[in-house]
């Protein structure tokens, strides 16, 4: 799939300027064969009492990256309105750069299913998710 660099740059500029996109410092790295790769650097405010990244923060990043995957795949025309989101945690994540990989499992006329995974150093799987959403058009959205 060929994704226009200009579209990705424009979306990421807006996304990184406010809200969770700014808070989490998520960066798009590359897309290969429908798999979108992002990097995240969690801020210290995301730590739980044990000193690891809190699970809800990991889930939030997976939610955003899987949604960005849909937005990029539809050339900026559609986003998922989440109807179901399951996260499975495999190991803790300390404050270190992490890699997120997201890909669409199935996209239909109205529903999309996306898979997301977050990895720590040495490609160790931290968490995986299945994100299902009702697709809505982005036209008319506030910029």
């Amino acid at each position: 799939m060929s994704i226009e660099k200009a579209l990705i740059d424009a979306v990421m500029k807006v996304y990184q300027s406010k809200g969770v996109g700014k808070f989490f410092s998520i960066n798009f790295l590359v897309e290969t064969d429908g798999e979108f790769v992002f990097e995240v650097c969690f801020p210290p405010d995301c730590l739980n009492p044990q000193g690891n990244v809190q699970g809800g923060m990991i889930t939030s990043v997976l939610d955003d990256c899987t949604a960005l995957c849909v937005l990029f795949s539809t050339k900026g025309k559609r986003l998922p309105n989440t109807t179901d989101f399951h996260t499975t945690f495999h190991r803790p994540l300390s404050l270190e750069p992490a890699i997120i990989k997201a890909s669409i499992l199935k996209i239909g006329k109205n529903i999309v299913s996306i898979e997301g995974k977050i990895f720590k150093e040495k490609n160790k799987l931290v968490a995986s998710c299945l994100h299902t959403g009702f697709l809505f058009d982005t036209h008319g959205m506030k910029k």
Side-chain angles (χ1 to χ4, degrees):
M1 173 179 296
S2 176
I3 307 298
E4 295 177 23
K5 183 179 179 338
L7 170 67
I8 291 172
D9 290 345
V11 167
M12 293 306 293
K13 182 177 179 182
V14 171
Y15 175 75
Q16 293 169 336
S17 71
K18 56 188 172 185
V20 294
K22 183 176 181 179
F23 180 75
F24 287 126
S25 302
I26 295 172
N27 293 300
F28 172 77
L29 299 179
V30 68
E31 179 269 332
T32 306
D33 297 326
E35 181 179 71
F36 294 81
V37 182
F38 302 85
E39 180 183 49
V40 63
C41 295
F42 289 95
D45 291 343
C46 293
L47 295 179
N48 64 22
Q50 291 81 31
N52 295 308
V53 178
Q54 194 263 350
M57 299 293 185
I58 291 170
T59 296
S60 182
V61 165
L62 285 167
D63 183 15
D64 275 24
C65 290
T66 51
L68 286 168
C69 169
V70 174
L71 186 65
F72 294 157
S73 295
T74 61
K75 300 185 177 167
K77 295 178 182 169
R78 305 191 87 188
L79 273 170
N81 184 358
T82 303
T83 57
D84 192 41
F85 199 100
H86 290 276
T87 306
T88 302
F89 297 96
H90 307 283
R91 63 176 39 91
L93 176 65
S94 58
L95 279 185
E96 60 186 82
I99 298 295
I100 297 94
K101 296 180 180 179
S103 57
I104 294 174
L105 297 173
K106 173 113 172 96
I107 188 165
K109 181 179 174 186
N110 295 310
I111 303 292
V112 63
S113 294
I114 318 111
E115 176 183 53
K117 295 179 180 179
I118 186 166
F119 299 88
K120 63 191 284 180
E121 64 181 350
K122 298 180 182 172
N123 209 30
K124 292 182 179 176
L125 182 62
V126 171
S128 54
C129 75
L130 179 59
H131 182 177
T132 304
F134 183 81
L135 290 166
F136 69 91
D137 294 333
T138 58
H139 66 277
M141 290 178 61
K142 293 181 182 178
K143 298 192 187 234

